[in-house]
């Protein structure tokens, strides 16, 4: 990707504040000018997406919902598994990104993949359930992320898999065996990302560990393009909906 293309993306990230009367309008205003170069730049910005997608245990005939899936680029990491899945939903509120997803679906011949313009806090698959729900750097962009997680918990079958990769900050006093972040990290990165309506939280991991059986949790730091010396914290989480939820599901 050229430096000129990067400048275009950076311009929209820095100066396009996402105007609109609702969240869908704000997303489209923010992404419409950068949708074409979105994937190339985000590949360098958003680390851990491939690892998270590949960590999901293979399940034939599964229903997979990628919340905030945007252009559908996440599915490239599991392209060899898609024919074995029952249905895949790319759910997003940004029409400009979903347009790219539609092109990708047609180009790849994915007959069981559907791009859906819908709210992650409300979406229900046509089947009425999901075996797998993933969030790839989308949870921090959902204003009511608690509602999005509650919805994921609702539609997941008992024993279903949740996979998340996203930026975050630790709580000032994190739980035992969790990474502790410096005052600078906890203070700087939320302000930095909030200019793009990306809101880092110290509550992601506590929520996930309270509602799901944790299968894997990794906490990292990532280099951000054109920002030297400092690194942004992100995590990869894999969990399972407890089997005790089975009676409620039925």
């Amino acid at each position: 990707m050229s430096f000129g293309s990067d400048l275009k993306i950076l311009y929209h990230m820095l100066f396009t504040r996402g105007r609109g009367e609702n969240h869908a309008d704000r997303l489209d205003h923010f992404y419409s000018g950068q949708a074409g170069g979105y994937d190339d730049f985000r590949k360098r910005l958003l680390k851990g997406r491939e690892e998270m997608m590949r960590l999901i245990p293979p399940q034939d005939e599964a229903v997979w919902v990628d919340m905030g899936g945007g252009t559908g680029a996440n599915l490239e990491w599991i392209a060899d598994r898609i024919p074995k899945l029952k249905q895949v939903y790319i759910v997003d509120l940004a029409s400009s990104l979903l347009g790219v997803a539609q092109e990708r679906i047609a180009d790849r011949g994915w007959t069981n993949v559907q791009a859906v313009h819908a709210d992650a806090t409300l979406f229900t698959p046509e089947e009425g359930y999901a075996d797998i729900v993933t969030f790839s750097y989308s949870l921090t962009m959902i204003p009511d992320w608690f509602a999005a997680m509650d919805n994921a918990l609702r539609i997941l079958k008992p024993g279903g898999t949740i996979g998340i990769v996203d930026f975050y900050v630790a709580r000032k006093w994190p739980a035992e065996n969790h990474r502790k972040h410096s005052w600078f990290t906890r203070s700087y990165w939320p302000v930095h990302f909030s200019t793009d309506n990306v809101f880092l939280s110290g509550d992601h991991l506590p929520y996930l560990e309270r509602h799901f059986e944790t299968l894997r949790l990794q906490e990292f730091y990532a280099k951000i393009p054109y920002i030297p010396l400092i690194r942004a914290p992100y995590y990869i989480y894999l969990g399972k909906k407890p089997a005790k939820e089975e009676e409620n599901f039925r």
Side-chain angles (χ1 to χ4, degrees):
M1 188 174 187
S2 69
F3 180 65
S5 297
D6 277 3
L7 283 178
K8 181 179 180 181
I9 299 294
L10 290 168
Y11 172 84
H12 284 282
M13 292 178 67
L14 292 172
F15 300 109
T16 305
R17 290 290 178 257
R19 302 187 187 91
E21 295 183 0
N22 54 55
H23 188 50
D25 289 344
R26 290 189 289 272
L27 285 174
D28 265 329
H29 182 260
F30 180 69
Y31 284 121
S32 60
Q34 54 175 303
Y38 179 90
D39 289 334
D40 287 335
F41 188 83
R42 262 58 178 195
K43 188 177 293 185
R44 288 173 289 141
L45 174 66
L46 308 178
K47 305 298 184 183
R49 294 182 300 164
E50 178 179 3
E51 291 86 342
M52 185 274 287
M53 295 294 285
R54 292 187 183 277
L55 281 171
I56 304 294
Q59 300 179 41
D60 292 352
E61 292 299 307
V63 175
W64 188 319
V65 179
D66 193 23
M67 295 290 197
T71 66
N74 294 328
L75 301 187
E76 299 289 0
W77 309 121
I78 57 164
D80 59 327
R81 294 165 55 181
I82 287 177
K84 299 179 182 179
L85 297 172
K86 180 177 182 179
Q87 185 68 37
V88 182
Y89 295 94
I90 303 169
V91 179
D92 210 292
L93 278 174
S95 299
S96 53
L97 299 184
L98 289 175
V100 178
Q102 293 280 19
E103 294 177 4
R104 174 175 272 111
I105 292 169
D107 290 344
R108 303 296 187 272
W110 290 337
T111 58
N112 59 338
V113 179
Q114 184 178 347
V116 184
H117 186 265
D119 190 329
T121 68
L122 301 171
F123 176 74
T124 300
E126 293 178 9
E127 294 77 7
Y129 68 90
D131 298 284
I132 302 164
V133 176
T134 48
F135 293 82
S136 175
Y137 289 96
S138 55
L139 206 57
T140 46
M141 297 196 72
I142 299 173
D144 191 351
W145 69 266
F146 283 110
M149 289 307 308
D150 288 346
N151 189 45
L153 187 64
R154 177 184 68 85
I155 65 175
L156 270 173
K157 293 174 64 175
T161 302
I162 184 86
I164 301 176
V165 57
D166 215 327
F167 293 118
Y168 79 119
V169 288
R171 288 178 171 177
K172 183 176 181 179
W173 308 111
E176 187 177 357
N177 299 322
H178 286 59
R179 191 181 290 273
K180 184 177 176 63
H181 292 159
S182 68
W183 173 87
F184 176 83
T185 295
R186 289 184 284 107
S187 302
Y188 172 74
W189 289 113
V191 173
H192 173 90
F193 283 109
S194 67
T195 60
D196 292 328
N197 293 319
V198 176
F199 298 101
L200 276 59
S201 174
D203 294 328
H204 283 193
L205 297 184
Y207 178 101
L208 291 167
E209 293 184 315
R210 186 176 299 117
H211 291 85
F212 296 92
E213 296 177 11
T214 300
L215 302 176
R216 191 183 190 105
L217 171 61
Q218 297 172 283
E219 301 174 80
F220 302 100
Y221 290 96
K223 183 181 183 300
I224 303 299
Y226 304 108
I227 300 180
L229 303 179
I230 57 176
R231 302 290 186 268
Y234 74 98
Y235 68 90
I236 297 174
Y237 181 87
L238 195 68
K240 182 175 70 171
K241 181 174 177 175
K244 65 182 179 182
E245 300 284 346
E246 184 169 2
E247 292 184 2
N248 295 332
F249 180 80
R250 289 177 179 172

